[in-house]
Amino acid sequence: MSRGFVKEEDQEEAPVIPPRAALPVGATNYVTPLGFEALENEKHDLERERTKLPEDNETEKRRAQAVIDGKLKLLAERRASARIIYPNQQPEDEVRFGAKIKLKNHSNGSIQEFQIVGVDEADVKKQKIAFVAPIARAVTGLKIGDTTEFKLGNETRTLEILEITY
């Protein structure tokens, strides 16, 4: 049909669905039990939101529903690919997925603490970094007292593992 015969209000643009946190191609989608629970809660929240869409404006309802459906689809893919790793089943003396670590940056003497988690639960403000982050990859497999060279731009930092907890 020619676009000349289509009403302007029928020419809706597809809504933009924000992408989920990036997971490298071929990478396993590791999550902690709390991370998987958060994915489940997100699903329930989106389903609840879908039932509470405004009835008075059909166009707005359709757009909002399309956004929620898109988010649910991406979430379903992420949930289906999730592989739960239980931190309490990791070797206690080695940095692995789920570890909370304290390390010292010998380059400036600062102490840094964070937990290595899945990409969907990573939140720097909560000191949670994704297992695919360069610093997480640099320290994975290390033990207390071990050091590693971590390159950040033109700078190389010497990091020492001070503490590992799960």
Side-chain angles (χ1 to χ4, degrees):
M1 176 192 305
S2 169
R3 295 196 60 79
F5 294 104
V6 178
K7 291 187 264 175
E8 268 189 52
E9 60 266 15
D10 291 343
Q11 297 180 23
E12 286 183 35
E13 286 188 34
V16 176
I17 312 297
R20 297 200 63 84
L23 186 64
V25 175
T28 301
N29 181 23
Y30 295 118
V31 296
T32 65
L34 286 175
F36 191 77
E37 185 180 320
L39 292 174
E40 290 293 306
N41 290 339
E42 183 181 351
K43 175 187 169 217
H44 295 303
D45 291 346
L46 286 169
E47 288 170 343
R48 193 174 316 113
E49 188 179 330
R50 194 174 192 277
T51 64
K52 295 180 180 181
L53 292 174
E55 298 289 332
D56 55 339
N57 185 332
E58 189 62 36
T59 303
E60 280 305 310
K61 180 180 178 183
R62 190 172 50 252
R63 285 181 185 155
Q65 192 170 337
V67 169
I68 292 170
D69 289 347
K71 287 180 179 181
L72 281 167
K73 182 177 184 251
L74 293 175
L75 181 60
E77 291 169 3
R78 195 54 68 91
R79 286 174 52 247
S81 69
R83 180 167 169 216
I84 300 173
I85 301 293
Y86 296 90
N88 61 355
Q89 295 175 357
Q90 301 286 37
E92 293 180 20
D93 65 337
E94 192 174 321
V95 177
R96 293 285 180 195
F97 182 86
K100 294 176 184 175
I101 66 169
K102 181 189 280 189
L103 56 82
K104 181 175 185 176
N105 179 345
H106 284 278
S107 305
N108 61 16
S110 67
I111 303 292
Q112 193 174 359
E113 294 182 58
F114 56 83
Q115 181 181 15
I116 301 172
V117 297
V119 294
D120 288 301
E121 56 190 310
D123 184 344
V124 174
K125 292 177 186 170
K126 295 179 180 176
Q127 296 178 309
K128 294 183 176 197
I129 63 165
F131 69 96
V132 295
I135 193 167
R137 290 194 315 246
V139 299
T140 296
L142 298 180
K143 298 182 179 201
I144 293 174
D146 287 352
T147 60
T148 187
E149 299 294 313
F150 176 65
K151 192 163 175 68
L152 187 63
N154 294 331
E155 180 185 352
T156 300
R157 298 177 180 180
T158 301
L159 306 177
E160 178 185 358
I161 305 299
L162 301 177
E163 199 175 290
I164 303 168
T165 57
Y166 286 94

Short mmCIF file of all heavy atoms in Angstrom, two decimals, residues 89-151:
data_model
loop_
_atom_site.label_atom_id
_atom_site.label_comp_id
_atom_site.label_asym_id
_atom_site.label_seq_id
_atom_site.Cartn_x
_atom_site.Cartn_y
_atom_site.Cartn_z
N GLN A 89 30.28 -22.64 47.34
CA GLN A 89 30.85 -23.86 46.77
C GLN A 89 32.18 -23.59 46.06
O GLN A 89 32.75 -24.49 45.44
CB GLN A 89 29.86 -24.52 45.81
CG GLN A 89 28.60 -25.01 46.49
CD GLN A 89 27.57 -25.54 45.52
OE1 GLN A 89 27.74 -25.51 44.31
NE2 GLN A 89 26.47 -26.04 46.06
N GLN A 90 32.66 -22.37 46.14
CA GLN A 90 33.92 -21.99 45.52
C GLN A 90 35.07 -22.25 46.49
O GLN A 90 34.87 -22.26 47.70
CB GLN A 90 33.91 -20.50 45.14
CG GLN A 90 32.80 -20.12 44.19
CD GLN A 90 33.06 -20.62 42.77
OE1 GLN A 90 33.58 -21.69 42.53
NE2 GLN A 90 32.68 -19.81 41.81
N PRO A 91 36.29 -22.45 45.97
CA PRO A 91 37.44 -22.64 46.87
C PRO A 91 37.67 -21.37 47.69
O PRO A 91 37.81 -20.29 47.13
CB PRO A 91 38.60 -22.91 45.92
CG PRO A 91 38.15 -22.47 44.57
CD PRO A 91 36.66 -22.49 44.57
N GLU A 92 37.65 -21.51 49.02
CA GLU A 92 37.71 -20.35 49.91
C GLU A 92 39.00 -19.54 49.81
O GLU A 92 39.01 -18.36 50.14
CB GLU A 92 37.52 -20.80 51.36
CG GLU A 92 36.13 -21.32 51.64
CD GLU A 92 35.95 -21.77 53.08
OE1 GLU A 92 36.74 -21.34 53.94
OE2 GLU A 92 35.03 -22.54 53.33
N ASP A 93 40.07 -20.18 49.36
CA ASP A 93 41.36 -19.50 49.35
C ASP A 93 41.73 -18.92 47.99
O ASP A 93 42.86 -18.49 47.78
CB ASP A 93 42.45 -20.47 49.82
CG ASP A 93 42.64 -21.64 48.85
OD1 ASP A 93 41.70 -21.95 48.09
OD2 ASP A 93 43.74 -22.24 48.86
N GLU A 94 40.78 -18.90 47.06
CA GLU A 94 41.08 -18.47 45.70
C GLU A 94 39.98 -17.53 45.19
O GLU A 94 38.81 -17.74 45.48
CB GLU A 94 41.16 -19.71 44.81
CG GLU A 94 41.74 -19.47 43.44
CD GLU A 94 41.91 -20.78 42.68
OE1 GLU A 94 42.29 -21.80 43.29
OE2 GLU A 94 41.64 -20.77 41.48
N VAL A 95 40.38 -16.51 44.44
CA VAL A 95 39.41 -15.57 43.87
C VAL A 95 38.68 -16.26 42.72
O VAL A 95 39.30 -16.67 41.74
CB VAL A 95 40.09 -14.28 43.36
CG1 VAL A 95 39.06 -13.36 42.70
CG2 VAL A 95 40.81 -13.56 44.47
N ARG A 96 37.39 -16.41 42.88
CA ARG A 96 36.51 -17.00 41.88
C ARG A 96 35.24 -16.17 41.81
O ARG A 96 35.05 -15.23 42.57
CB ARG A 96 36.16 -18.46 42.25
CG ARG A 96 37.31 -19.41 42.21
CD ARG A 96 37.67 -19.72 40.80
NE ARG A 96 38.79 -20.65 40.76
CZ ARG A 96 39.48 -20.87 39.68
NH1 ARG A 96 39.18 -20.27 38.56
NH2 ARG A 96 40.49 -21.71 39.69
N PHE A 97 34.34 -16.60 40.92
CA PHE A 97 33.06 -15.92 40.77
C PHE A 97 32.34 -15.90 42.12
O PHE A 97 32.28 -16.91 42.81
CB PHE A 97 32.20 -16.64 39.73
CG PHE A 97 30.89 -15.96 39.48
CD1 PHE A 97 30.79 -14.94 38.55
CD2 PHE A 97 29.76 -16.33 40.18
CE1 PHE A 97 29.58 -14.30 38.33
CE2 PHE A 97 28.56 -15.70 39.97
CZ PHE A 97 28.46 -14.68 39.05
N GLY A 98 31.82 -14.75 42.49
CA GLY A 98 31.09 -14.60 43.75
C GLY A 98 31.96 -14.13 44.90
O GLY A 98 31.44 -13.78 45.96
N ALA A 99 33.27 -14.12 44.72
CA ALA A 99 34.18 -13.73 45.79
C ALA A 99 34.05 -12.24 46.11
O ALA A 99 33.87 -11.41 45.23
CB ALA A 99 35.62 -14.03 45.40
N LYS A 100 34.16 -11.96 47.40
CA LYS A 100 34.31 -10.58 47.86
C LYS A 100 35.79 -10.46 48.17
O LYS A 100 36.33 -11.25 48.95
CB LYS A 100 33.48 -10.32 49.11
CG LYS A 100 31.99 -10.40 48.86
CD LYS A 100 31.20 -10.23 50.14
CE LYS A 100 29.73 -10.41 49.85
NZ LYS A 100 28.92 -10.37 51.08
N ILE A 101 36.44 -9.49 47.53
CA ILE A 101 37.88 -9.39 47.72
C ILE A 101 38.28 -8.00 48.18
O ILE A 101 37.60 -7.01 47.92
CB ILE A 101 38.68 -9.77 46.45
CG1 ILE A 101 38.43 -8.78 45.32
CG2 ILE A 101 38.35 -11.17 46.00
CD1 ILE A 101 39.38 -8.97 44.17
N LYS A 102 39.39 -7.99 48.89
CA LYS A 102 40.02 -6.72 49.29
C LYS A 102 41.41 -6.78 48.69
O LYS A 102 42.11 -7.79 48.84
CB LYS A 102 40.10 -6.61 50.81
CG LYS A 102 40.74 -5.29 51.28
CD LYS A 102 41.01 -5.29 52.77
CE LYS A 102 39.75 -5.00 53.54
NZ LYS A 102 40.04 -4.77 54.98
N LEU A 103 41.77 -5.74 47.96
CA LEU A 103 43.10 -5.72 47.37
C LEU A 103 43.77 -4.38 47.58
O LEU A 103 43.11 -3.38 47.86
CB LEU A 103 43.05 -6.08 45.88
CG LEU A 103 42.18 -5.28 44.92
CD1 LEU A 103 42.86 -4.00 44.47
CD2 LEU A 103 41.88 -6.13 43.71
N LYS A 104 45.08 -4.42 47.50
CA LYS A 104 45.87 -3.20 47.66
C LYS A 104 46.49 -2.85 46.33
O LYS A 104 47.07 -3.71 45.65
CB LYS A 104 46.96 -3.40 48.70
CG LYS A 104 47.81 -2.16 48.93
CD LYS A 104 48.81 -2.36 50.04
CE LYS A 104 49.55 -1.06 50.31
NZ LYS A 104 50.46 -1.19 51.46
N ASN A 105 46.36 -1.60 45.95
CA ASN A 105 47.01 -1.07 44.76
C ASN A 105 48.36 -0.53 45.21
O ASN A 105 48.42 0.51 45.86
CB ASN A 105 46.13 0.03 44.15
CG ASN A 105 46.74 0.67 42.92
OD1 ASN A 105 47.93 0.51 42.65
ND2 ASN A 105 45.93 1.40 42.18
N HIS A 106 49.43 -1.24 44.90
CA HIS A 106 50.77 -0.82 45.34
C HIS A 106 51.24 0.44 44.64
O HIS A 106 52.15 1.11 45.12
CB HIS A 106 51.79 -1.96 45.14
CG HIS A 106 51.67 -3.04 46.16
ND1 HIS A 106 52.22 -2.96 47.41
CD2 HIS A 106 51.01 -4.23 46.11
CE1 HIS A 106 51.94 -4.06 48.10
NE2 HIS A 106 51.20 -4.85 47.33
N SER A 107 50.62 0.78 43.52
CA SER A 107 51.02 1.97 42.78
C SER A 107 50.68 3.25 43.55
O SER A 107 51.42 4.23 43.47
CB SER A 107 50.34 2.00 41.41
OG SER A 107 50.61 0.81 40.72
N ASN A 108 49.56 3.24 44.29
CA ASN A 108 49.19 4.45 45.04
C ASN A 108 48.84 4.15 46.50
O ASN A 108 48.44 5.06 47.22
CB ASN A 108 48.04 5.19 44.35
CG ASN A 108 46.78 4.37 44.26
OD1 ASN A 108 46.62 3.36 44.95
ND2 ASN A 108 45.86 4.80 43.40
N GLY A 109 48.93 2.90 46.91
CA GLY A 109 48.68 2.53 48.29
C GLY A 109 47.21 2.40 48.67
O GLY A 109 46.90 2.13 49.83
N SER A 110 46.31 2.57 47.72
CA SER A 110 44.88 2.52 48.04
C SER A 110 44.40 1.08 48.22
O SER A 110 44.96 0.14 47.68
CB SER A 110 44.05 3.21 46.95
OG SER A 110 44.12 2.48 45.75
N ILE A 111 43.36 0.94 49.02
CA ILE A 111 42.71 -0.35 49.27
C ILE A 111 41.37 -0.32 48.54
O ILE A 111 40.65 0.68 48.59
CB ILE A 111 42.47 -0.57 50.78
CG1 ILE A 111 43.77 -0.48 51.57
CG2 ILE A 111 41.73 -1.89 51.02
CD1 ILE A 111 44.76 -1.58 51.30
N GLN A 112 41.04 -1.39 47.88
CA GLN A 112 39.81 -1.48 47.11
C GLN A 112 39.09 -2.77 47.49
O GLN A 112 39.73 -3.81 47.69
CB GLN A 112 40.15 -1.49 45.61
CG GLN A 112 39.01 -1.27 44.70
CD GLN A 112 39.49 -1.16 43.24
OE1 GLN A 112 40.68 -1.24 42.93
NE2 GLN A 112 38.55 -0.99 42.35
N GLU A 113 37.77 -2.70 47.62
CA GLU A 113 36.98 -3.89 47.92
C GLU A 113 35.85 -4.00 46.91
O GLU A 113 35.23 -2.99 46.55
CB GLU A 113 36.38 -3.79 49.33
CG GLU A 113 37.42 -3.82 50.43
CD GLU A 113 36.78 -3.78 51.81
OE1 GLU A 113 35.97 -4.68 52.11
OE2 GLU A 113 37.10 -2.85 52.57
N PHE A 114 35.59 -5.22 46.47
CA PHE A 114 34.45 -5.46 45.57
C PHE A 114 34.12 -6.93 45.53
O PHE A 114 34.89 -7.77 45.99
CB PHE A 114 34.73 -4.93 44.15
CG PHE A 114 35.96 -5.47 43.50
CD1 PHE A 114 35.95 -6.70 42.84
CD2 PHE A 114 37.15 -4.74 43.51
CE1 PHE A 114 37.09 -7.19 42.22
CE2 PHE A 114 38.29 -5.22 42.89
CZ PHE A 114 38.27 -6.46 42.25
N GLN A 115 32.93 -7.22 44.99
CA GLN A 115 32.50 -8.60 44.79
C GLN A 115 32.40 -8.85 43.30
O GLN A 115 31.95 -8.00 42.54
CB GLN A 115 31.14 -8.85 45.45
CG GLN A 115 30.68 -10.29 45.28
CD GLN A 115 29.32 -10.57 45.90
OE1 GLN A 115 28.57 -9.66 46.25
NE2 GLN A 115 29.01 -11.85 46.05
N ILE A 116 32.80 -10.03 42.87
CA ILE A 116 32.71 -10.41 41.46
C ILE A 116 31.37 -11.11 41.24
O ILE A 116 31.08 -12.14 41.86
CB ILE A 116 33.88 -11.33 41.05
CG1 ILE A 116 35.22 -10.60 41.29
CG2 ILE A 116 33.74 -11.77 39.60
CD1 ILE A 116 36.44 -11.46 41.10
N VAL A 117 30.54 -10.51 40.37
CA VAL A 117 29.17 -10.99 40.16
C VAL A 117 28.85 -11.08 38.67
O VAL A 117 29.69 -10.77 37.83
CB VAL A 117 28.16 -10.04 40.87
CG1 VAL A 117 28.37 -10.04 42.37
CG2 VAL A 117 28.26 -8.63 40.31
N GLY A 118 27.61 -11.44 38.36
CA GLY A 118 27.15 -11.51 36.98
C GLY A 118 26.95 -10.13 36.38
O GLY A 118 26.85 -9.14 37.10
N VAL A 119 26.85 -10.08 35.06
CA VAL A 119 26.74 -8.79 34.38
C VAL A 119 25.46 -8.04 34.74
O VAL A 119 25.46 -6.81 34.78
CB VAL A 119 26.86 -8.92 32.84
CG1 VAL A 119 28.25 -9.38 32.44
CG2 VAL A 119 25.81 -9.83 32.27
N ASP A 120 24.37 -8.76 35.01
CA ASP A 120 23.12 -8.08 35.34
C ASP A 120 23.09 -7.53 36.75
O ASP A 120 22.30 -6.64 37.05
CB ASP A 120 21.93 -9.03 35.13
CG ASP A 120 21.66 -9.28 33.67
OD1 ASP A 120 21.40 -8.30 32.95
OD2 ASP A 120 21.73 -10.44 33.23
N GLU A 121 23.91 -8.06 37.62
CA GLU A 121 23.90 -7.57 39.00
C GLU A 121 25.06 -6.63 39.32
O GLU A 121 25.15 -6.12 40.44
CB GLU A 121 23.86 -8.74 39.99
CG GLU A 121 24.98 -9.74 39.83
CD GLU A 121 24.77 -11.01 40.64
OE1 GLU A 121 24.48 -10.93 41.85
OE2 GLU A 121 24.91 -12.09 40.06
N ALA A 122 25.92 -6.39 38.35
CA ALA A 122 27.05 -5.49 38.56
C ALA A 122 26.55 -4.07 38.84
O ALA A 122 25.63 -3.58 38.19
CB ALA A 122 27.97 -5.48 37.34
N ASP A 123 27.14 -3.46 39.86
CA ASP A 123 26.78 -2.10 40.26
C ASP A 123 27.95 -1.52 41.05
O ASP A 123 28.17 -1.90 42.20
CB ASP A 123 25.51 -2.12 41.11
CG ASP A 123 25.01 -0.74 41.48
OD1 ASP A 123 25.76 0.25 41.36
OD2 ASP A 123 23.83 -0.65 41.90
N VAL A 124 28.69 -0.64 40.42
CA VAL A 124 29.90 -0.08 41.03
C VAL A 124 29.57 0.60 42.36
O VAL A 124 30.33 0.50 43.32
CB VAL A 124 30.60 0.90 40.07
CG1 VAL A 124 31.78 1.59 40.74
CG2 VAL A 124 31.07 0.17 38.83
N LYS A 125 28.42 1.26 42.45
CA LYS A 125 28.03 1.94 43.69
C LYS A 125 27.87 0.97 44.85
O LYS A 125 28.04 1.34 46.00
CB LYS A 125 26.72 2.70 43.49
CG LYS A 125 26.84 3.87 42.54
CD LYS A 125 25.50 4.53 42.32
CE LYS A 125 25.62 5.61 41.26
NZ LYS A 125 24.33 6.12 40.85
N LYS A 126 27.53 -0.29 44.53
CA LYS A 126 27.38 -1.32 45.57
C LYS A 126 28.62 -2.20 45.66
O LYS A 126 28.58 -3.27 46.26
CB LYS A 126 26.15 -2.19 45.26
CG LYS A 126 24.85 -1.43 45.35
CD LYS A 126 23.68 -2.32 45.02
CE LYS A 126 22.37 -1.55 45.10
NZ LYS A 126 21.23 -2.39 44.69
N GLN A 127 29.70 -1.77 45.02
CA GLN A 127 30.97 -2.49 45.00
C GLN A 127 30.81 -3.90 44.42
O GLN A 127 31.39 -4.87 44.91
CB GLN A 127 31.60 -2.55 46.40
CG GLN A 127 31.97 -1.18 46.92
CD GLN A 127 32.53 -1.25 48.31
OE1 GLN A 127 31.95 -1.85 49.20
NE2 GLN A 127 33.68 -0.62 48.50
N LYS A 128 30.04 -4.00 43.36
CA LYS A 128 29.84 -5.27 42.65
C LYS A 128 30.27 -5.06 41.21
O LYS A 128 29.74 -4.19 40.53
CB LYS A 128 28.38 -5.71 42.72
CG LYS A 128 27.93 -6.06 44.13
CD LYS A 128 26.52 -6.55 44.15
CE LYS A 128 26.15 -6.98 45.56
NZ LYS A 128 24.95 -7.82 45.56
N ILE A 129 31.23 -5.87 40.76
CA ILE A 129 31.70 -5.74 39.38
C ILE A 129 31.47 -7.04 38.63
O ILE A 129 31.51 -8.13 39.20
CB ILE A 129 33.18 -5.30 39.30
CG1 ILE A 129 34.09 -6.35 39.92
CG2 ILE A 129 33.39 -3.94 39.94
CD1 ILE A 129 35.53 -6.16 39.54
N ALA A 130 31.25 -6.91 37.34
CA ALA A 130 30.98 -8.07 36.50
C ALA A 130 32.24 -8.92 36.33
O ALA A 130 33.35 -8.40 36.25
CB ALA A 130 30.47 -7.63 35.14
N PHE A 131 32.02 -10.22 36.25
CA PHE A 131 33.14 -11.16 36.08
C PHE A 131 33.89 -10.94 34.77
O PHE A 131 35.01 -11.40 34.62
CB PHE A 131 32.65 -12.61 36.19
CG PHE A 131 31.78 -13.07 35.04
CD1 PHE A 131 32.32 -13.77 33.98
CD2 PHE A 131 30.42 -12.79 35.03
CE1 PHE A 131 31.51 -14.19 32.92
CE2 PHE A 131 29.61 -13.22 33.99
CZ PHE A 131 30.15 -13.91 32.93
N VAL A 132 33.27 -10.23 33.82
CA VAL A 132 33.93 -9.97 32.54
C VAL A 132 34.74 -8.66 32.56
O VAL A 132 35.43 -8.36 31.60
CB VAL A 132 32.91 -9.94 31.38
CG1 VAL A 132 32.29 -11.31 31.19
CG2 VAL A 132 31.85 -8.87 31.60
N ALA A 133 34.66 -7.91 33.66
CA ALA A 133 35.42 -6.67 33.78
C ALA A 133 36.91 -6.99 33.81
O ALA A 133 37.32 -8.01 34.38
CB ALA A 133 35.01 -5.91 35.04
N PRO A 134 37.74 -6.15 33.21
CA PRO A 134 39.19 -6.43 33.16
C PRO A 134 39.82 -6.69 34.53
O PRO A 134 40.62 -7.60 34.68
CB PRO A 134 39.77 -5.18 32.51
CG PRO A 134 38.65 -4.66 31.65
CD PRO A 134 37.40 -4.96 32.43
N ILE A 135 39.43 -5.91 35.55
CA ILE A 135 40.04 -6.12 36.87
C ILE A 135 39.60 -7.45 37.47
O ILE A 135 40.38 -8.13 38.12
CB ILE A 135 39.76 -4.93 37.83
CG1 ILE A 135 40.68 -5.04 39.05
CG2 ILE A 135 38.29 -4.86 38.20
CD1 ILE A 135 40.71 -3.80 39.90
N ALA A 136 38.36 -7.86 37.22
CA ALA A 136 37.89 -9.16 37.72
C ALA A 136 38.66 -10.29 37.06
O ALA A 136 39.07 -11.26 37.73
CB ALA A 136 36.39 -9.32 37.48
N ARG A 137 38.87 -10.17 35.76
CA ARG A 137 39.63 -11.21 35.05
C ARG A 137 41.08 -11.24 35.53
O ARG A 137 41.69 -12.30 35.61
CB ARG A 137 39.56 -10.97 33.55
CG ARG A 137 38.17 -11.25 32.98
CD ARG A 137 38.15 -11.35 31.48
NE ARG A 137 38.91 -10.32 30.81
CZ ARG A 137 38.39 -9.36 30.04
NH1 ARG A 137 37.11 -9.34 29.81
NH2 ARG A 137 39.15 -8.46 29.47
N ALA A 138 41.63 -10.06 35.87
CA ALA A 138 43.03 -9.99 36.29
C ALA A 138 43.26 -10.68 37.63
O ALA A 138 44.33 -11.25 37.85
CB ALA A 138 43.47 -8.52 36.38
N VAL A 139 42.27 -10.64 38.52
CA VAL A 139 42.48 -11.21 39.86
C VAL A 139 41.91 -12.62 40.03
O VAL A 139 42.22 -13.29 41.01
CB VAL A 139 41.91 -10.28 40.96
CG1 VAL A 139 42.61 -8.93 40.93
CG2 VAL A 139 40.41 -10.12 40.85
N THR A 140 41.09 -13.07 39.07
CA THR A 140 40.50 -14.41 39.18
C THR A 140 41.61 -15.47 39.18
O THR A 140 42.53 -15.43 38.37
CB THR A 140 39.50 -14.67 38.04
OG1 THR A 140 38.42 -13.75 38.18
CG2 THR A 140 38.96 -16.09 38.07
N GLY A 141 41.52 -16.37 40.14
CA GLY A 141 42.51 -17.44 40.27
C GLY A 141 43.62 -17.12 41.27
O GLY A 141 44.37 -18.00 41.65
N LEU A 142 43.69 -15.87 41.72
CA LEU A 142 44.74 -15.49 42.67
C LEU A 142 44.35 -15.89 44.08
O LEU A 142 43.18 -16.11 44.39
CB LEU A 142 44.99 -13.98 42.61
CG LEU A 142 45.48 -13.42 41.28
CD1 LEU A 142 45.69 -11.92 41.38
CD2 LEU A 142 46.76 -14.11 40.83
N LYS A 143 45.36 -15.97 44.95
CA LYS A 143 45.16 -16.31 46.36
C LYS A 143 45.66 -15.15 47.22
O LYS A 143 46.34 -14.25 46.71
CB LYS A 143 45.90 -17.60 46.70
CG LYS A 143 45.37 -18.78 45.90
CD LYS A 143 46.07 -20.06 46.25
CE LYS A 143 45.43 -21.17 45.41
NZ LYS A 143 45.64 -22.46 45.96
N ILE A 144 45.35 -15.20 48.49
CA ILE A 144 45.80 -14.14 49.41
C ILE A 144 47.32 -14.04 49.36
O ILE A 144 48.02 -15.04 49.42
CB ILE A 144 45.32 -14.41 50.85
CG1 ILE A 144 43.79 -14.31 50.90
CG2 ILE A 144 45.95 -13.43 51.84
CD1 ILE A 144 43.18 -14.70 52.23
N GLY A 145 47.81 -12.80 49.21
CA GLY A 145 49.24 -12.54 49.11
C GLY A 145 49.76 -12.49 47.69
O GLY A 145 50.84 -11.97 47.43
N ASP A 146 49.00 -13.04 46.74
CA ASP A 146 49.40 -13.00 45.33
C ASP A 146 49.30 -11.58 44.79
O ASP A 146 48.44 -10.79 45.21
CB ASP A 146 48.52 -13.90 44.46
CG ASP A 146 48.78 -15.38 44.65
OD1 ASP A 146 49.77 -15.73 45.34
OD2 ASP A 146 48.00 -16.19 44.12
N THR A 147 50.16 -11.27 43.84
CA THR A 147 50.10 -9.97 43.16
C THR A 147 49.96 -10.20 41.66
O THR A 147 50.29 -11.27 41.14
CB THR A 147 51.38 -9.13 43.42
OG1 THR A 147 52.51 -9.84 42.92
CG2 THR A 147 51.55 -8.80 44.89
N THR A 148 49.45 -9.16 41.00
CA THR A 148 49.32 -9.21 39.55
C THR A 148 49.52 -7.80 39.00
O THR A 148 49.29 -6.82 39.70
CB THR A 148 47.93 -9.76 39.12
OG1 THR A 148 47.92 -9.93 37.71
CG2 THR A 148 46.80 -8.81 39.51
N GLU A 149 49.98 -7.74 37.78
CA GLU A 149 50.12 -6.48 37.08
C GLU A 149 48.82 -6.22 36.33
O GLU A 149 48.37 -7.08 35.56
CB GLU A 149 51.29 -6.51 36.09
CG GLU A 149 52.64 -6.77 36.74
CD GLU A 149 53.10 -5.65 37.65
OE1 GLU A 149 53.01 -4.48 37.23
OE2 GLU A 149 53.52 -5.94 38.78
N PHE A 150 48.22 -5.07 36.54
CA PHE A 150 46.96 -4.72 35.90
C PHE A 150 47.17 -3.46 35.08
O PHE A 150 47.51 -2.42 35.63
CB PHE A 150 45.86 -4.52 36.96
CG PHE A 150 44.55 -4.07 36.40
CD1 PHE A 150 43.82 -4.89 35.55
CD2 PHE A 150 44.03 -2.83 36.72
CE1 PHE A 150 42.61 -4.48 35.03
CE2 PHE A 150 42.81 -2.42 36.21
CZ PHE A 150 42.10 -3.24 35.36
N LYS A 151 46.99 -3.57 33.77
CA LYS A 151 47.21 -2.43 32.88
C LYS A 151 45.90 -1.68 32.71
O LYS A 151 44.88 -2.25 32.36
CB LYS A 151 47.72 -2.93 31.53
CG LYS A 151 48.24 -1.83 30.64
CD LYS A 151 49.10 -2.43 29.53
CE LYS A 151 49.55 -1.39 28.55
NZ LYS A 151 50.49 -0.43 29.06
#
